[in-house]
Amino acid sequence: RHLGGRLERRSIARLHHSSGGNPLFALQLGRAILQGDVVDEDGFGLLIPATLQQVVADRLLALSPAALDVVQAAAAVARPTAALIESVVATDRAREGLAAASAAGVLSVDRDRVGFTHPLLATAAYSQMSAVDRRHLHARLAEVVEDVEERGRHLASAAERPGTEVAAALDAGALRARARYAPETAAELWEAAARFTPADQAPMVWERRLHAADCLFEAGEVARARVVFEDISRAASPGPTRTRSLVRLGWVIAHIEGFEAGAVAFERALDELGDDVTAEVEVEEGLAWCLHSSSGLAPAEPHARRALALAEGSGDPQLVAGALTNLYFLGSLAGRGLAVEAVGQVARTAGSSGPEILVRPDWMHSLLLMFDDHLIEARERFATLHREAADRGDEHSLPFILFHLARTELLSGQWTQALHTARQCSETARSSGQASELPYACDIEAIVEAHLGAVDSAFTRIAEGLELTDRFAVIPARLEMMATRGFLELSLGRNDEADRTLTEVAAAAEDSGLLEPALFRYHGDAIEAKIALGRLDEAATLVDRVEGLAATLQRPWLALIAGRGSGLLQAARGQLGDACDVLAAALAEDGAGQPFERARTLLAFGSVQRRHRQKRAARDALVAAHTTFAGLGARLWVDKAAAELARVGGRPATSGLTPTELQVAELIAAGRTYREVAAELFISPKTVQWNLSKVYRKLDIRSRAELPGRLKPR
């Protein structure tokens, strides 16, 4: 922001290292980079500009010749050691220089390890060398270093022109970097390998650039990857390298410009693939994904079936497995039942292969588990996917994983963590430049904030997200955003607006063919809005539909929603006894593992019991609902439960507590820690402890274990 320009992530990383995190040095370095005053001759280092050179020049000028030799040798290697320095500087001179540089406060020496007291000194020492001296030093280092990546770098820094040996060494280093899950480093080395490949080996140049672009894509440098893929697609000769580039380009365009643009890119690629069946299968799968997101399932499924037919014709079992999974997944989205076991079987054999997360069987299987109410397993799988992606530097996949991890956390009742994960999703989508994921990033933040009752922020996210869904043509994100708006309107008691919005969601879902009920989760809200407005016949139609889905799909969450809707409908028709029986049965059979939905059903149960003059039972149900809502942080629903409790009448055991004491007590009773309660209520942990001590005294109890029982009214 200070510099008013955009630096590549690679430059920022080098800048941070070279400046040692010093903001003033960083600004000077950044300004020099943007103005072209920094010359990065070999593509690996960052040379210090003259304006900053003077800041540290005095420290280096005071060094003895031996010390300067040692400092410059240390500056040229990634992990300097005394033994390595002695191998390129004569042993006695090296020892003398190490001692002098250490005494001067330039180097620190710990046994064999050597380091700079500030990284800027290393950058300055390296910058002071002439180009000829740097090449000679790197040539000596290339002869003695054992690390294959570093050897390639030194050979490149020593070379004056392209050469097969240098390019091969860089290629070997890139393979090693990719094997250790360092895609950004691998991309850097493959880019250098392409530069050093002789001009008469053009196919090898394109192959190495393709590897580099693949790694850039994985590392979240999507815009840079696009430039390379476009270069290859435009200039490389027909063949496997160009074909693979066309496939990758389709995905990159989808992630940058949106799924409509991605579909156009994949269609264009189909005309240029030739006889490469593997690439054609991948393009058909890409088309199916882009079309289902931008136009609905009807135009998408023929491409998924075409991909499967091609794969089966190829006889490649891996290709067949991937195409079959894609078709299974689209069928699951259509509401025809979830192919959990079939996709799980493929995921167990295929693992996490493939650069594109959206068509990976392990990712799809995790989604289906979440849809099927296996929330604990789904959350564990998404957490594992997140950890593995982070470990291997797969920045591209992170926002897609984090979106659904946040959803499982929300459904499971971990709302504080869900908000943190949702914000991580937004951050990774922006940092990786995957603009078409931004609607989903807004979506997940809006969903969590709506549940927490952060009304203004949620509505802001929804407005921003809806604009983004139009720009990038993302139907699923738009429908989920609308469903979230409907839920928020219902939570605020604005039933007319909720009904209008949710009716629109239902119609759009029907048009798109995206009928899997767990996709947008609007059914329970739609039923309650219609009942609140007295549209009982319409509500009855929805209840029948959800009951049918629950019976067909055997989904615990749907059964709970259907039971709640049926009970509320009967109560609205004056059949209070039957309504109580239905709601009691729904709660007794609940196996969804979704505390918020259970608390909403308890709230409905307590409300109906109150109207049926079952005051004690009503109070028990309403207190249980209130406690769960408070523990989750569902502010708007806490108010609903409190309002219903007030209608029951009677004197609660907690009447002597202040509102803050009651909130603290309910959150602690729900299992929250002091820090979590403090964050929720915007007070300090010490204030939480102080209020809790007063609660214990007023309720005549000694520990938090006694709180749940004492919070129930007498």
Side-chain angles (χ1 to χ4, degrees), residues 473-555:
V474 192
I475 290 175
R478 179 174 185 79
L479 294 188
E480 192 159 33
M481 203 85 68
M482 294 288 287
T484 301
R485 186 162 76 184
F487 163 74
L488 191 51
E489 297 287 7
L490 180 75
S491 303
L492 291 165
R494 303 200 291 237
N495 298 307
D496 267 323
E497 188 61 30
D499 180 57
R500 187 194 64 76
T501 302
L502 295 172
T503 300
E504 184 180 336
V505 172
E510 192 76 36
D511 288 344
S512 68
L514 296 167
L515 298 176
E516 163 50 46
L519 276 172
F520 313 122
R521 296 180 182 267
Y522 64 89
H523 307 74
D525 300 330
I527 291 168
E528 290 188 39
K530 288 189 181 297
I531 291 172
L533 293 169
R535 297 171 182 165
L536 302 189
D537 290 343
E538 294 176 31
T541 300
L542 288 179
V543 169
D544 289 344
R545 185 177 302 169
V546 177
E547 285 178 338
L549 288 169
T552 303
L553 302 177
Q554 294 293 296
R555 209 79 61 77

Side-chain angles (χ1 to χ4, degrees), residues 59 63 71 98-108 115-118 121:
R59 294 276 297 278
L63 294 176
V71 166
L98 281 168
S102 177
V106 175
L107 293 181
S108 62
F116 282 85
T117 56
H118 191 285
L121 292 166

Side-chain angles (χ1 to χ4, degrees), residues 339-363:
V340 180
E341 186 51 43
V343 173
Q345 180 61 38
V346 177
R348 284 188 285 275
T349 56
S352 58
S353 58
E356 181 46 60
I357 183 75
L358 295 179
V359 290
R360 265 175 41 187
D362 55 345
W363 183 76

Side-chain angles (χ1 to χ4, degrees), residues 3 5-12 15 26 29-31 33-34:
L3 297 177
R6 181 173 175 81
L7 293 169
E8 289 184 350
R9 282 172 48 171
R10 175 167 57 176
S11 296
I12 293 172
L15 183 153
L29 274 172
R31 191 173 292 111
I33 292 170
L34 290 172

Side-chain angles (χ1 to χ4, degrees), residues 34-120:
L34 290 172
Q35 292 173 351
D37 294 337
V38 169
V39 181
D40 189 0
E41 290 183 349
D42 55 19
F44 298 125
L46 180 65
L47 303 186
I48 193 168
T51 53
L52 197 53
Q53 182 78 261
Q54 295 170 4
V55 176
V56 291
D58 291 344
R59 294 276 297 278
L60 297 174
L61 287 172
L63 294 176
S64 66
L68 189 59
D69 284 350
V70 165
V71 166
Q72 289 174 339
V77 293
R79 292 172 293 278
T81 64
L84 182 60
I85 291 170
E86 288 175 11
S87 67
V88 293
V89 179
T91 302
D92 291 342
R93 185 177 179 83
R95 290 173 180 170
E96 175 194 338
L98 281 168
S102 177
V106 175
L107 293 181
S108 62
V109 183
D110 180 11
R111 297 181 184 176
D112 191 50
R113 288 180 298 179
V114 176
F116 282 85
T117 56
H118 191 285
L120 194 62

